[in-house]
Amino acid sequence: MKPAPFKYVAPESLDDAVALLRRHGQEGKILAGGQSLVPLLNMRLARPAVIIDLNRLRPLDYIKNGKDVRIGAMTRQRVAELSPLVRQKLPLLAEALRYVGHPQIRNRGTIGGSIAHADPSAELPAVLAALEGKVVLQNGRGTRTLGADAFFLTYLTTALQPDELLVEVRIPAHDHLGTAFLEVARRHGDYALVGVAAVVDWNGGRARDVRLTFTGVGGVPVRVAEAEAAATGRPLTDAVLAEVSRIVSAGLDPEADIHASAEYRKHVAGVLAERALRVAVTRAQRRERDTR
Amino acid sequence: MGTRYFGERVKRNEDPRLLTGRGTFVDDIRLPGMLHGAVLRSPHAHARLLSLDTSKAKTARGVVAVYTRTDLPEHLQQPLPKLIPHYALIHHKTQYALAPEKVRYVGEPVAFVVAESRYLAEDAAELVEVEYEPLPPVVDLTQAAQPNAPLVHEDMGTNVCAHHTQRVGNVEDAFARAAHVFTERFVMDRGTAAPMECRGIVAQWEPKMRQLTVWDSTQAPIPIRNGLARLLGLPQGGVRVIAPDVGGGFGPKIMMFYPEEILVPCAAMQLGRPVKWIEDRRENFVAMNQEREQIHVAAIAVDSDGRILGVRTNFLYDSGAYIPYGIIVPIVASTTLPGPYKIPNYHCEFKAVFTNKTIVSPYRGAGRPHGVFVMERLMDRVAKELRIDRTEVRRRNLIQPHEFPYEVGLIYQDNAPVIYDSGDYPATLAKALQMIGYDMWPERRARYRREGRYVGLGIACYVEGSGIGPYEGARVTVEPSGKVYAATSVGTQGQGHFTSFAQIVADALTVPVEDVVVVTGDTGAFGWGTGTFASRAAVVAGNAVHLAAQAVREKTLKVAATKLEARVEDLELQDGKVFVRGVPGRTMTLAEIAVAANPLRGTIPEGWEQPGLEASRYFAPPRGTFPNGVHACVLEVDVQTGMIKILKYVVVHDCGRVINPLILDGQIHGGVAQGLGGAFYERLVYDEHGQLLTQTFMDYLLPTAMEVPEIEIGHLETPSPLNPLGVKGAGEAGVIPVAALIAQAIDDALMEFGVRIAEMPLSPNRLLEIIQAARKQPAAAS
Ligand SMILES: Cc1cc2nc3c(=O)[nH]c(=O)nc-3n(C[C@H](O)[C@H](O)[C@H](O)COP(=O)(O)OP(=O)(O)OC[C@H]3O[C@@H](n4cnc5c(N)ncnc54)[C@H](O)[C@@H]3O)c2cc1C
């Protein structure tokens, strides 16, 4: 488990990083927290010629307030998790981060790395998709901003071009919404078999808007529009929730792996949808009460 | 002798060193000029090796040598030595240092590259060109036992290498007259021990001294030394094997010879430079021996009161591609099965079968979990069908305290009869029931159900063989400095020997336990012994240490008597000093006595036997000693996801006299964790091509601190009459009944659905399938 030979560069500035990416293109590979990349290198499943280490780019380590909270790509997951701003404005992200590996992993792993890696079982891409957040990409010619749906293409594949760097993640503040993140993982800290991010805009005893985004059931974070529609505008009674659950299970087409069959994932996605909606609604109601 | 340390929760002598990173593991051995090896392994489970071209690899940067099989001395091209033969093992096929014309499992070594660094060695290994002709592999155990299956070893004409039967009484008759007979099939799948430290070997050859030194993360340094001497044509004195700190063994490291244990010393001798090979985790998954795969068809015959008339099991044992270690595991499984119960008629029969998978040899439990799973599941079946409380069924069949020694009627892995030496099984069960709160369970269970929760209780009993022979030895020395040294033949892989053995010596010589330096696993320090396996170190080596320490104590008094001109009977040894009773001031320290015992001139009296305060002693038990225990737990099942959560876990354990309860608790905690792994998390998944799909800790799931519950432990102490210390083994107790226990607790939680667990390990996915299937059955029983 030693990586194949590679060259190593550690740019000191964003401009240098972008220039290096431009020079090495397909041959280059960005190293952020290394929590996904280094195992791939060691198993020789990834064999880049050049590693471009971003760990000296302090300017990409920030969390800024606003209607969209903006998080620099090199912000450590643990830093975001413990940030009072994230906890207050981005409760769904704060909740989801606790499911990402273990504190040791989150101490190294970055927000940008997780999004760029685009593992469909990962929590952060689902959070980004659920909240309809955006990513900012930069190359030598400038920057562009993409929504989650345009960014995640399929398994471990994004709209990032070989010369592009993910520099920022933008997540709409959602402290006015009821949210919940739930997952079933074989062990605490594992990538989940299935996970769900539930977002509910609760008003007057019903949901004005509902979003249900799942991990582990497709190549990208998956939303089930039909289930969202079924939960919208109605009081979320047991019967309605059971119906939502059924629609979710029926609407997904996951793949099997050694840990869980497609059937299992479909079933559990339905179960989690129901449970997450209950939690999200309870939280929304509590918020409503507290602000009254 | 007033015991001061024996039985106390003495903190471990080795912990400050280990916890501050000052241990010495094989990978910490760094020698000048050292080279690094990498093994090229077969990517196929079954293939003919058509050609091997190492020319590119040999000229790669930093490469010093590339070995294929024909580069080895002729006799090392042959199968490696057979360990532990058995008359029933007809085809004792053993592994090769490097694969012959055919590879038989994924991971089998094909070539060995030695280079200036491990990185360069791995780069070069990619350049070795190998042409394979894939053959159909045989992966599934049941299929492998069929007559028309592909053959792992063609010359055998079958994959069945052993067929063994043991019988007690007359089973046919018992089954014929029984009121009830229940038959079931039980399946247990593969796992791996996953020690924190993978294997590793460093070898250094000093041509001028003709001395080979090998650092090996093995559980059996002395047998490795003996074997290497024979295989390499060196005198035993010319080979020193050191098992330094070893980061967990759990059984697979008792296996020998692993191919690398030959390749590394050979390369070091041939190249005249030290060579290191450290197994990485991916290699460990395929190259270290595995265990656990068995399929039993078992039956129990009882009378109308649930008294056992007979038990029968017929099972398949997957041995993997070779069977160097013989049929120890299935013998242990079949002889552990009867457990604490009186079984007048018993028939056990197994076939050991080759498959194109990694070799199997004992892993902590070594068949005991299988035997217990089958027996406890059968007892639960009887309880359920006859509507008798499950603990009452057990109680009716338990061997009673006055029935010891109890002869089971079987022959154990050490070829000695299975005779339970001592124990109090009803008391063990009673204590566990009390700790888990069995009395209150029906109400508690009902309350959980009213809350919509599926919570179940399990209770599982076992008796395990431990502390088998042939022998171990120890040497205890008081040096002129007054420091006490104890050298033993067994190696240590985390069991706390540096403390438990020191306690025994400290008590004998009345010195502080921290002042006793224990040396283990170095053939240069002690050269006779077999190794650390079968929960035997404390029993066999521990008693050898005790005998040697007592001999040194006697010698101390003898020498002091001469010097102090007093009779031995008038002397007293206390706080490391000898006093003449009633004569204050007439005293000598151990250091002074040690000097006196080794004079430069004059003579030593005949009665002293030998110079110095030193004695070597051996302990050879007549046969194994049998600890027992009961585990109990309460767990909750999420019936919508198949997830389980353990709410309470209790272990009551009787391993005779306890040397150090702290260490014992640690052994049990670790064992339970591994047992839970084998019940719900850990499974080696092979696909139909014999590829191992679980080759990282992302896919092979060890339970973590988050999954392992708090474990409450109760101790009973029924001394063993078979050794002076009265101790029994404790290394495997934690793991043995866990699968049986979890199965029963799940059944209990899901009683309404009529769920019946007959396989291990489970997973959330599998458990949900079982739940859904049971729910579809019309009107589940009870
Ligand atoms: C034991 C363990 C458990 C884990 N469990 C989970 C889990 O439960 N859930 C989960 O979501 N993750 C889990 N992870 C993965 C972890 O979250 C990683 O940190 C994350 O997936 C990648 O982030 P990183 O900063 O480490 O990126 P790296 O590993 O350095 O990079 C990952 C990939 O993204 C690319 N990349 C990184 N940053 C950028 C950028 N700014 N622009 C363009 N490309 C970039 C890299 O080139 C590489 O291809 C686990 C990891 C481990 C080791």
Side-chain angles (χ1 to χ4, degrees), chain A residues 29-30 32-37 77 99-101 109-110 113 122-123 166 191:
Chain A
K29 192 87 189 148
I30 286 167
Q35 299 303 295
S36 295
L37 181 57
Q77 293 158 3
Y99 289 106
V100 177
T110 62
E123 289 79 7
L166 192 162
Y191 277 108

Side-chain angles (χ1 to χ4, degrees), chain B residues 108-127:
Chain B
E108 184 163 10
V110 169
F112 185 55
V113 181
V114 182
E116 297 291 342
S117 80
R118 175 65 178 247
Y119 290 84
L120 297 173
E122 290 193 16
D123 290 349
E126 286 190 331
L127 301 176

Side-chain angles (χ1 to χ4, degrees), chain B residues 141-223:
Chain B
L141 174 55
T142 318
Q143 198 206 330
Q146 301 294 325
N148 52 359
L151 295 175
V152 180
H153 300 273
E154 280 95 352
D155 59 334
M156 288 169 48
T158 168
N159 289 318
V160 177
C161 57
H163 186 169
H164 184 46
T165 305
Q166 291 201 61
R167 301 168 66 91
V168 179
N170 184 336
V171 179
E172 289 72 22
D173 177 58
F175 273 72
R177 70 191 150 81
H180 306 276
V181 170
F182 306 109
T183 305
E184 235 174 300
R185 184 168 183 271
F186 300 105
V187 180
M188 278 145 282
D189 209 344
R190 273 200 181 212
T192 179
M196 207 183 289
E197 182 202 22
C198 299
R199 295 181 301 123
I201 300 150
V202 173
Q204 181 178 36
W205 170 243
E206 288 157 282
K208 286 188 187 145
M209 310 285 288
R210 294 197 60 73
Q211 177 74 37
L212 178 71
T213 308
V214 178
W215 290 262
D216 185 352
S217 67
T218 178
Q219 295 171 236
I222 296 173

Side-chain angles (χ1 to χ4, degrees), chain B residues 396-412:
Chain B
R396 282 181 196 170
N397 288 287
L398 286 180
I399 296 161
Q400 296 300 308
H402 67 269
E403 292 177 284
F404 292 95
Y406 184 88
E407 214 165 320
V408 178
L410 299 167
I411 299 298
Y412 196 50

